[in-house]
Amino acid sequence: MRTGLAAAALIICISMGYMACSRMRDRVDKLNALCAEIRTLGDSMELSQYRLSEMLDRLGGELWREYAAALTGEQLGAGEAWAATVQKEADGGSLSGLDKQDIAALITLGEAFSSISRAAQADHARLTLRQMEARAADAEKALMGKGKLYSTLGVLAGFAAALMMI
Amino acid sequence: MANAETNALVGLRKLLPKELFYNTDMDMLGAECEEIRIRAGRNVRFVLRGGEIAGSAVATPKLCRDVLEGLSEHSAPAIENELKEGFFTARGGCRVGVCGQMYTKNGLCERLWQISGFNIRIARQIKGCADKIIREIYSCGNAGGLLVLSIPGTGKTTLLRDTVRQLSDGGLSAAVADERGEIAACYMGAPTLDVGERTDIMDMCPKAEGIRKLVRSMSPRLIVTDEIGTREEADALLDAKNCGAIAIASAHASSVEDALRREHIRALIEGGCFTHAAIITRRADGARDIAIEKLTL
């Protein structure tokens, strides 16, 4: 009986450590993917004369599809629609797992969408990209340090709990 | 001059902010509205066939921004060059004139920003409005070019569109040099207004260049363009005529005499580019009359 409980405690602690680590990895992956998409978007804004709907079509992901739907569905400005979409996706959608500062940085992309000149649009996109890249780099650094720590702590805590139970 | 009429107001309403139309009779607007005028700080005004009404919405800077965003479908940077020229064409072929603060560099217009005024012209397709022209000029089978004349906002483009539609459906291959995208109102490459079965369109290309390219590459029997305004455009049209194409074009003038005072129009008529002129006049109730004159010099 005790051995069984100890094994269960061990498994729970290890998986809690790994879950914390995988949440961090998930955030890094999402930030990196967003950076790549914003880079593509910025290039389109600078080099092509696509309409916004065409640019969003080319990106394809869930966030961009939701944004395109918000633009056509409701009579919101491009910046307002972007902020609303990002908030919605952050609450259990494709952006869940990002922290508040990530979301705030991402919302600044709305400035690019509501610009009326191509130069200003591309500048705003670049600015957002820089912020997101910095956040992705920080998240990666945190994953390397804290991620390992969480997994190790999970294993150690698991063994400690198991030993105490036995 | 009205049967089988459709206009772009229905489509435009989806693009424009809702508050623009508060307390406005949309049925009446749908049938009568020709222009929507938005001026910063003033009430929105709807120009109707036989008058004008003021809407309840006041054009705040935010409303002006929303109008631009809506009409450009959130893509104002994509139409930056058109904005610099003072107009762009919205979906459905509505020409939107804009004004605001122009940023200049070395004496050249660089960018229009802080847009404070819009003149949205509702594009109309009136199938059958060119019946008289077809009957009196083209039914005999060997007619030459046609010059459509009127003062601005009287329906030259609508008449041109229906003329080319009927001639194209009747069997002539036609080519339209549509510099402002008003004749065919192409969207993603396809015309949204009916310009006929056998019509090719060079969209948003400078007229003179468009005419030359079309004659060279599409071998049209009819070449159609709107608002001939420069010597270069007139030369291109003369070249097209000398290549065997029949020219159909419009120009701003209230009569043939007025048109002849413009040097390039005179050169076109003297060069035999046009054999007939159709002069559109507008009655007080907003209805149009078309008078056809044979051109002889």
Side-chain angles (χ1 to χ4, degrees):
Chain A
M1 176 74 177
R2 275 189 185 177
T3 319
L5 280 174
L10 178 69
I11 291 166
I12 289 169
C13 288
I14 290 175
S15 47
M16 276 170 71
Y18 275 105
M19 269 163 63
C21 181
S22 85
R23 268 200 300 273
M24 292 176 81
R25 189 171 295 117
D26 183 45
R27 177 173 166 238
V28 171
D29 291 345
K30 278 184 179 163
L31 286 172
N32 282 330
L34 280 169
C35 285
E37 288 168 340
I38 295 170
R39 199 173 296 118
T40 309
L41 192 68
D43 288 345
S44 294
M45 286 170 172
E46 195 170 355
L47 305 170
S48 72
Q49 275 204 307
Y50 290 132
R51 284 175 178 266
L52 183 54
S53 56
E54 292 169 86
M55 288 190 225
L56 298 176
D57 272 355
R58 275 157 209 269
L59 289 171
E62 191 184 336
L63 171 67
W64 311 105
R65 271 198 301 274
E66 286 294 322
Y67 180 43
L71 284 175
T72 50
E74 294 166 47
Q75 284 200 322
L76 289 176
E80 294 161 318
W82 174 246
T85 307
V86 170
Q87 291 291 3
K88 191 178 144 201
E89 289 298 299
D91 300 334
S94 61
L95 297 178
S96 58
L98 298 188
D99 67 25
K100 277 185 182 167
Q101 283 96 332
D102 297 336
I103 296 300
L106 192 54
I107 284 176
T108 62
L109 190 61
E111 294 284 335
F113 293 134
S114 53
S115 295
I116 69 164
S117 90
R118 285 175 75 185
Q121 193 178 46
D123 285 348
H124 281 301
R126 258 196 300 272
L127 200 64
T128 304
L129 177 61
R130 237 179 262 167
Q131 290 183 56
M132 295 301 285
E133 278 174 342
R135 299 209 62 77
D138 286 348
E140 209 149 352
K141 226 182 267 172
L143 175 66
M144 301 299 275
K146 282 185 189 166
K148 242 179 206 169
L149 181 72
Y150 288 149
S151 343
T152 316
L153 275 179
V155 173
L156 288 176
F159 275 116
L163 281 174
M164 283 193 325
M165 285 179 178
I166 294 168
Chain B
M1 175 168 155
N3 55 40
E5 178 172 343
T6 53
N7 74 45
L9 189 65
V10 180
L12 266 188
R13 273 188 71 195
K14 291 181 189 154
L15 304 178
L16 288 166
K18 280 180 192 140
E19 60 257 45
L20 214 61
F21 300 101
Y22 280 158
N23 302 327
T24 313
D25 178 354
M26 287 314 301
D27 289 338
M28 184 268 291
L29 272 194
E32 296 282 318
C33 189
E34 295 191 335
E35 285 178 7
I36 303 173
R37 295 271 190 170
I38 300 167
R39 297 177 179 102
R42 308 275 174 192
N43 281 74
V44 174
R45 302 193 86 83
F46 300 96
V47 179
L48 310 176
R49 277 182 194 171
E52 188 179 298
I53 55 167
S56 60
V58 175
T60 58
K62 184 185 179 306
L63 185 78
C64 290
R65 262 200 316 275
D66 290 349
V67 168
L68 179 66
E69 267 207 29
L71 290 174
S72 67
E73 296 175 60
H74 309 287
S75 307
I79 54 161
E80 199 179 4
N81 289 337
E82 287 96 319
L83 286 176
K84 207 163 65 180
E85 297 299 322
F87 74 91
F88 64 95
T89 305
R91 191 193 287 219
C94 297
R95 191 164 97 196
V96 183
V98 285
C99 63
Q101 194 168 348
M102 186 67 81
Y103 171 72
T104 57
K105 199 174 173 185
N106 301 327
L108 296 172
C109 296
E110 277 276 302
R111 196 165 67 234
L112 185 68
W113 64 305
Q114 292 187 346
I115 293 174
S116 58
F118 297 85
N119 174 18
I120 306 165
R121 295 176 62 179
I122 313 296
R124 282 170 193 280
Q125 172 131 41
I126 307 176
K127 290 189 175 176
C129 69
D131 285 354
K132 182 176 178 182
I133 287 172
I134 301 298
R135 202 171 47 242
E136 294 186 20
I137 305 177
Y138 292 104
S139 57
C140 57
N142 57 354
L146 172 72
L147 178 63
V148 178
L149 299 172
S150 82
I151 57 171
T154 318
K156 288 185 294 295
T157 308
T158 309
L159 189 66
L160 271 185
R161 188 184 299 123
D162 197 51
T163 307
V164 64
R165 180 188 68 81
Q166 295 202 39
L167 292 172
S168 171
D169 285 348
L172 287 178
S173 73
V176 179
D178 199 3
E179 182 175 355
R180 291 167 175 175
E182 284 186 290
I183 301 177
C186 288
Y187 185 73
M188 309 284 270
T192 58
L193 297 172
D194 187 0
V195 284
E197 288 286 328
R198 297 171 187 82
T199 303
D200 301 304
I201 302 137
M202 186 69 87
D203 191 34
M204 310 306 277
C205 176
K207 274 185 283 259
E209 209 174 326
I211 291 166
R212 290 202 170 99
K213 284 183 199 300
L214 284 167
V215 169
R216 205 163 44 226
S217 56
M218 304 309 288
S219 332
R221 186 76 189 92
L222 275 182
I223 188 96
V224 181
T225 194
D226 210 0
E227 292 179 17
I228 289 290
T230 66
R231 181 75 212 200
E232 199 197 350
E233 290 161 8
D235 286 346
L237 215 49
L238 263 176
D239 282 349
K241 184 253 167 193
N242 292 333
C243 290
I246 298 169
I248 298 184
S250 67
H252 289 303
S254 56
S255 65
V256 175
E257 290 70 36
D258 277 351
L260 285 170
R261 283 188 206 108
R262 299 174 70 185
E263 194 198 329
H264 60 280
I265 303 280
R266 188 178 187 90
L268 281 170
I269 296 171
E270 283 175 349
C273 204
F274 304 117
T275 56
H276 291 80
I279 303 107
I280 312 173
T281 48
R282 183 182 183 145
R283 286 187 239 143
D285 63 357
R288 271 73 160 169
D289 291 317
I290 302 169
I292 295 171
E293 283 186 30
K294 198 161 170 38
L295 295 170
T296 44
L297 275 180

